[in-house]
Amino acid sequence: MPLRILSAEWVVPVAAPPFRGGGVLVDGEQIIGVGPAPELLRSAPGTAITDLGHAALMPGFVNLHAHLELTAMRGYLEEPRFMPWLMRVVSGRRRLGEEDLRASALAGAVESVRAGITTIADIGQSNHGFHAMSQVGVRGVFFQEIVCLQAEDVDQVFHEFEGRIAPLLDRQSKRLGVGVSPHSPCTVRPEMFERLMTWWRASPRPVTIHTAESIAELEWLKNGTGDFASLLGGTDFPPDPPGCSPIAYLDRLGLLEAGPLLAHAIHTDRHDIELIARHHCAVAHCPKSNAKLGQGIMPLQAFQAAGITVGLGTDSAGSNNVLDIIDEARFCGLIHRASNRNAALLPAGELLRMATIEGARALGWQDRIGTLEPGKQADLIAIDLSRIGLQPIHDVEAAVVFASAAGDVKFVMVQGEPLFKAGRMTSVSEQETALGLVKAGMRLDESTASAPEP
Ligand SMILES: [Zn+2]
């Protein structure tokens, strides 16, 4: 592939301060230079320049926590109580056919790319998230999910999990990896964690888990009370609660040995944070999902002070309702400043680091992506700054974080391959994808109307 220069009025490398009138020199899939456009041209005379105009050229965003296959549940889960919300996710998912899940995952992948997300940590019970990411060309890790409530189901559930993950392991690539996600401490039996860790020790892979997300989870693990107690009452889940925090319980189960990416981690104390730091776990902070479900605010400053890597996740469209990391970064900054009554917290540049390089670090990919630097993969985006609501540009990082929106993203490239340019996705028809999503949404409505919820 020939050399190319992508230039824009602003370059925001994240690894260095923003500067004007620069660009990125790309050789195939790799960045080989970042600097003023004339300098790049001097180092590679005759190279074609694509000028992205009045825009901010920057590394693509990393979404550390998504469920692409649930995109059809946008607006379907407007349920204020956590446990009925979770039950509605489960029943709604059962109502979607394979074709609906496929369309839903593809739509989620397209929405993500349109929002400048170039790397996704996606969790799914089907494999449609993996295939959707592959079809659209986005980078990521697909985590195959495990839920197991009954002792008698452990063998069967694990067997099915192995059957689902096996074909994906053969299809891994430089762009797309595969991992496993035991759903949460309250929806996966201890025996299954044990089985999973034996499997993991033989062949270590990325692991992610929802944890310390809800008040219900905390109540059940600590005291055996609350909503999970009623849910698990109908199962043969171990009747005695562990009597500790979710993080301490995961440590006791041995899962922290795998250094899992912890999604949410809201209800954590000093001891939990020490455990997380000691096991070098990273955290997917999902402030919008947590706020929308009324579950609390993750103690971000304590995590950062302990040296824990924290990136951002949207969670699914069912709880957020948009797969938009710019919006997540903005909300993250605002909610922590408000709750700490401290406007000095989380300046725009730091929020951009959380949305890019810290997300990359959480996946162990900090040497490959997350900044514009020579030697890194050409995963980059351009955000159009010409809209009146963004003008004037006094501080380009503040413009991106506090004034721009997903719809301002005008160019997206992964591994040197453009995925979105000139207003169009390069690999799929957006119209057909949207139609599939609407049909999947209609299926949810129809089946909800015809069958009462369990
Ligand atoms: Zn989630």
Side-chain angles (χ1 to χ4, degrees):
M1 207 178 278
L3 293 176
R4 287 170 283 187
I5 293 173
L6 298 162
S7 68
E9 179 158 347
W10 284 97
V11 178
V12 183
V14 174
F19 59 94
R20 289 184 101 125
V24 175
L25 177 60
V26 175
D27 181 7
E29 62 185 48
Q30 216 174 36
I31 296 170
I32 59 169
V34 180
E39 225 170 76
L40 295 176
L41 203 51
R42 263 198 302 279
S43 70
T47 303
I49 299 183
T50 303
D51 184 17
L52 294 158
H54 194 48
L57 186 60
M58 57 177 294
F61 298 120
V62 179
N63 184 356
L64 280 184
H65 187 68
H67 304 264
L68 297 179
E69 68 184 15
L70 302 183
T71 305
M73 293 196 190
R74 190 191 334 267
Y76 177 73
L77 301 166
E78 301 304 311
E79 159 61 60
R81 298 159 302 160
F82 185 79
M83 195 52 66
W85 174 85
L86 188 60
M87 292 291 83
R88 199 163 155 84
V89 175
V90 174
S91 62
R93 208 192 158 286
R94 277 197 208 116
R95 289 179 168 132
L96 294 172
E98 286 302 311
E99 185 51 32
D100 301 318
L101 289 166
R102 192 195 68 77
S104 186
L106 187 61
V110 169
E111 179 182 352
S112 303
V113 169
R114 293 285 251 112
I117 294 166
T118 50
T119 297
I120 307 173
D122 183 51
I123 301 173
Q125 284 179 28
S126 72
N127 285 345
H128 294 299
F130 179 92
H131 297 304
M133 290 199 282
S134 173
Q135 191 176 346
V136 163
V138 73
R139 191 185 298 277
V141 181
F142 175 76
F143 294 90
Q144 180 55 247
E145 190 168 61
I146 293 182
V147 174
C148 182
L149 296 180
Q150 304 275 8
E152 63 192 37
D153 293 342
V154 170
D155 287 341
Q156 177 69 16
V157 168
F158 194 76
H159 182 68
E160 285 170 8
F161 156 73
E162 284 187 304
R164 285 196 308 271
I165 202 170
L168 302 185
L169 295 175
D170 295 337
R171 291 190 58 180
Q172 289 187 98
S173 65
K174 204 167 174 182
R175 238 184 261 193
L176 216 44
V178 173
V180 57
S181 177
H183 177 261
S184 82
C186 296
T187 47
V188 177
R189 299 184 60 86
E191 302 93 312
M192 180 58 91
F193 278 108
E194 212 179 298
R195 175 79 65 94
L196 202 56
M197 284 311 291
T198 306
W199 175 86
W200 183 87
R201 285 185 194 105
S203 175
R205 305 198 172 281
V207 177
T208 191
I209 184 166
H210 296 84
T211 193
E213 177 182 8
S214 66
I215 294 152
E217 175 189 351
L218 193 70
E219 283 178 343
W220 187 77
L221 290 174
K222 283 210 155 165
N223 312 313
T225 55
D227 286 342
F228 267 112
S230 2
L231 170 75
L232 300 174
T235 72
D236 61 352
F237 218 82
D240 298 324
C244 64
S245 72
I247 300 296
Y249 180 52
L250 293 183
D251 185 39
R252 210 179 285 180
L253 290 168
L255 189 81
L256 296 188
E257 180 192 333
L261 169 63
L262 303 170
H264 307 296
I266 304 169
H267 306 291
T268 42
D269 59 21
R270 201 166 46 84
H271 178 63
D272 295 327
I273 291 172
E274 277 169 22
L275 276 174
I276 293 169
R278 198 185 315 147
H279 287 90
H280 305 289
C281 300
V283 174
H285 182 27
C286 308
K288 280 186 67 198
S289 170
N290 301 156
K292 185 155 184 268
L293 294 171
Q295 296 303 313
I297 303 172
M298 187 264 244
L300 176 61
Q301 282 67 46
F303 277 76
Q304 289 178 329
I308 296 165
T309 299
V310 182
L312 295 168
T314 57
D315 215 338
S316 78
S319 66
N320 191 319
N321 302 9
V322 286
L323 309 179
D324 178 351
I325 287 289
I326 299 174
D327 200 30
E328 205 69 40
R330 175 163 48 238
F331 186 81
C332 175
L334 298 180
I335 196 162
H336 289 290
R337 287 188 193 185
S339 61
N340 287 283
R341 300 183 183 195
N342 182 356
L345 290 178
L346 299 166
E350 189 176 342
L351 292 165
L352 284 184
R353 281 195 293 280
M354 288 179 73
T356 54
I357 185 64
E358 295 309 313
R361 197 184 316 282
L363 297 172
W365 290 353
Q366 65 274 19
D367 296 330
R368 288 159 67 181
I369 56 166
T371 58
L372 300 182
E373 283 180 281
K376 287 209 172 173
Q377 292 278 290
D379 287 17
L380 43 89
I381 63 172
I383 298 178
D384 190 3
L385 300 172
S386 60
R387 185 165 57 82
I388 198 164
L390 279 149
Q391 291 295 322
I393 310 294
H394 293 294
D395 174 333
V396 70
E397 291 175 325
V400 169
V401 172
F402 294 119
S404 85
D408 295 318
V409 173
K410 66 187 287 192
F411 179 81
V412 178
M413 171 181 271
V414 170
Q415 209 179 344
E417 184 192 338
L419 306 189
F420 177 72
K421 62 176 185 179
R424 297 169 72 100
M425 293 293 294
T426 56
S427 56
V428 293
S429 153
E430 226 173 311
Q431 213 173 355
E432 279 174 33
T433 307
L435 198 62
L437 181 65
V438 170
K439 278 187 187 161
M442 283 163 65
R443 186 106 53 218
L444 279 175
D445 290 339
E446 281 163 18
S447 46
T448 307
S450 61
E453 302 221 357

